[in-house]
Amino acid sequence: MYTLVIGNKNYSSWSLRGWLLLRQFQIGFDEIRLPLYSEIFSEKIKDYSPTGLVPTLVSGDLSIWDSLAICEYIAEQHPALHCWPEDVQARAIARSISSEMHSGFFQIRNLLPMNIRRHRAIDTISADLAKEIERVCDIWKSCRQFYKGDGDFLFGSFSIADVMYAPMVLRFKSYLIEVGESEAEYMQSMLALTSLQEWIDAALAEEEVIDLYEK
Ligand SMILES: N[C@@H](CCC(=O)N[C@@H](CS)C(=O)NCC(=O)O)C(=O)O
């Protein structure tokens, strides 16, 4: 019913979001993996995505070429799965932090690119980078304080908000970022997901090396 076009599992943080959403909510899909910056990527991506970016979800005649738009489409197509939190206030906050992720955190994106096979700190953390790391920690901590009674994820049950922050969990792990107790617990809950572990295992089996992301 769905085909998801993605990049490398080791490096493509936006691809992970589309993939984790479908996998964690047990929605069937075919996967097309096009390694970033490869000849096959340039040849094939235009068949699916007008922006030339991944992820792209193909659903019948429709192409959806942005991670957050994919999340919204899937949430609408499968209302019984409650991909967003059920409570209206929780849903509004979940949408706010997801949009904040989608449109911001440029220091983290540029200086700590997702690279699952890496396990090494960076030499210096600038003040601007530290500010963004602190903001991610504040988000995780306040969500966990408020929704702890309802489950292990940001809003209790797993939701699109966790999908949007999954690459941050992997970046914090790769670059050995120090976090507080509740943020570390949240990271553990995410890393314990069979779906995320499946992605990580596949990423570690990949052999492509993209220098741009090897900081
Ligand atoms: N806003 C887009 C960003 C997608 C994006 O930047 N994807 C990267 C890979 S993680 C890409 O396709 N890069 C290929 C290129 O730049 O040629 C989304 O949310 O899906």
Side-chain angles (χ1 to χ4, degrees):
M1 174 168 165
Y2 298 120
T3 299
L4 186 71
V5 186
I6 60 170
N8 312 57
K9 289 185 171 158
N10 188 56
Y11 297 115
S12 183
S13 58
W14 296 109
S15 298
L16 165 58
R17 294 178 171 103
W19 189 96
L20 186 62
L21 172 79
L22 296 172
R23 195 53 116 228
Q24 187 58 27
F25 284 102
Q26 300 184 0
I27 298 167
F29 65 102
D30 291 329
E31 172 183 313
I32 298 178
R33 193 188 80 102
L34 302 175
L36 299 171
Y37 307 113
S38 66
E39 242 172 69
I40 182 115
F41 187 95
S42 337
E43 258 171 45
K44 295 269 178 205
I45 192 61
K46 289 289 182 201
D47 295 347
Y48 304 107
S49 161
T51 57
L53 300 176
V54 285
T56 290
L57 181 75
V58 181
S59 171
D61 291 341
L62 186 65
S63 259
I64 305 147
W65 59 84
D66 178 276
S67 59
L68 198 49
I70 292 170
C71 289
E72 292 289 7
Y73 178 77
I74 291 294
E76 284 182 1
Q77 293 297 307
H78 303 272
L81 295 178
H82 301 295
C83 298
W84 287 113
E86 285 184 67
D87 174 75
V88 67
Q89 289 190 4
R91 195 160 64 247
I93 309 267
R95 282 201 162 106
S96 297
I97 64 165
S98 297
S99 301
E100 187 178 343
M101 174 74 254
H102 191 249
S103 61
F105 296 112
F106 293 106
Q107 295 289 323
I108 296 183
R109 282 196 218 169
N110 291 336
L111 298 171
L112 310 178
M114 192 172 96
N115 179 358
I116 291 173
R117 68 171 82 96
R118 180 187 168 116
H119 193 67
R120 184 167 45 85
I122 52 167
D123 295 338
T124 8
I125 295 190
S126 67
D128 287 344
L129 177 59
K131 203 168 152 195
E132 288 191 359
I133 292 173
E134 202 181 316
R135 175 65 192 144
V136 172
C137 288
D138 282 350
I139 290 171
W140 290 352
K141 196 172 169 175
S142 60
C143 283
R144 291 304 303 137
Q145 266 168 4
F146 208 82
Y147 296 101
K148 201 178 171 99
D150 301 330
D152 294 337
F153 298 98
L154 292 176
F155 294 88
S157 303
F158 185 88
S159 76
I160 288 171
D162 300 293
V163 161
M164 293 308 286
Y165 280 83
M168 282 289 164
V169 169
L170 298 180
R171 286 173 159 122
F172 281 21
K173 180 171 183 277
S174 286
Y175 295 90
L176 317 180
I177 302 296
E178 285 180 23
V179 298
E181 200 180 323
S182 66
E183 299 93 289
E185 269 174 30
Y186 172 63
M187 287 173 65
Q188 280 314 315
S189 301
M190 288 293 283
L191 291 165
L193 290 171
T194 312
S195 52
L196 189 54
Q197 207 50 60
E198 187 192 333
W199 176 280
I200 292 170
D201 290 345
L204 295 176
E206 288 179 344
E207 289 183 354
E208 299 103 0
V209 174
I210 302 178
D211 290 340
L212 183 66
Y213 299 139
E214 296 286 338
K215 298 273 174 180

